[in-house]
Amino acid sequence: QAGVMLRAGEPFGIERDCARAVMLLKEVAERDHAINHVLVSALDSYEHGAHATALFRYLIAAHAGVEIAQFNAGFMLERGLGAAELIRSVEQSAAREDEAEALRALCVQHALGM
């Protein structure tokens, strides 16, 4: 609640402090049990050589704003760990749903940062 109050400021009779609010809200997100489970399972997958699974899980946590997941996903992408396998996996799933070309294009765009 402190993060929300700091973000809003005046309605709560305090000075607005967005930087501190972001820090507090980020800390809450990173302590979330579900996100922590995703991070632990991503690390486990990485350590067992399941790079596509690890990358997928790090991307989920990264999307939620978890800094370490953003770093780890970037690390893996820079080194080509799991990206090709993840794209193939998405393509195979999409092929079963007859949406392969659309999802392939989406994966390529995402991989290129478009």
Side-chain angles (χ1 to χ4, degrees):
Q1 288 178 328
V4 173
M5 292 171 66
L6 285 167
R7 185 181 58 124
E10 282 302 316
F12 296 100
I14 59 174
E15 185 176 334
R16 186 174 183 181
D17 188 344
C18 290
R20 190 161 171 227
V22 167
M23 186 179 69
L24 289 170
L25 292 169
K26 180 179 173 294
E27 186 176 325
V28 168
E30 290 177 350
R31 288 184 183 195
D32 180 80
H33 177 71
I35 292 294
N36 189 50
H37 177 72
V38 171
L39 289 173
V40 169
S41 65
L43 178 60
D44 185 57
S45 296
Y46 179 83
E47 289 175 341
H48 286 91
H51 293 140
T53 301
L55 178 58
F56 180 73
R57 291 175 177 160
Y58 280 132
L59 288 170
I60 290 170
H63 185 69
V66 178
E67 190 174 348
I68 190 67
Q70 293 167 350
F71 176 85
N72 288 349
F75 174 88
M76 292 183 72
L77 288 169
E78 283 179 349
R79 286 159 181 77
L81 298 172
E85 296 132 312
L86 183 57
I87 289 171
R88 271 195 306 277
S89 175
V90 170
E91 285 178 331
Q92 289 169 356
S93 295
R96 289 189 292 270
E97 300 295 324
D98 293 326
E99 298 173 6
E101 186 58 32
L103 282 176
R104 186 198 64 76
L106 179 64
C107 287
V108 169
Q109 289 175 359
H110 181 69
L112 297 175
M114 300 168 129

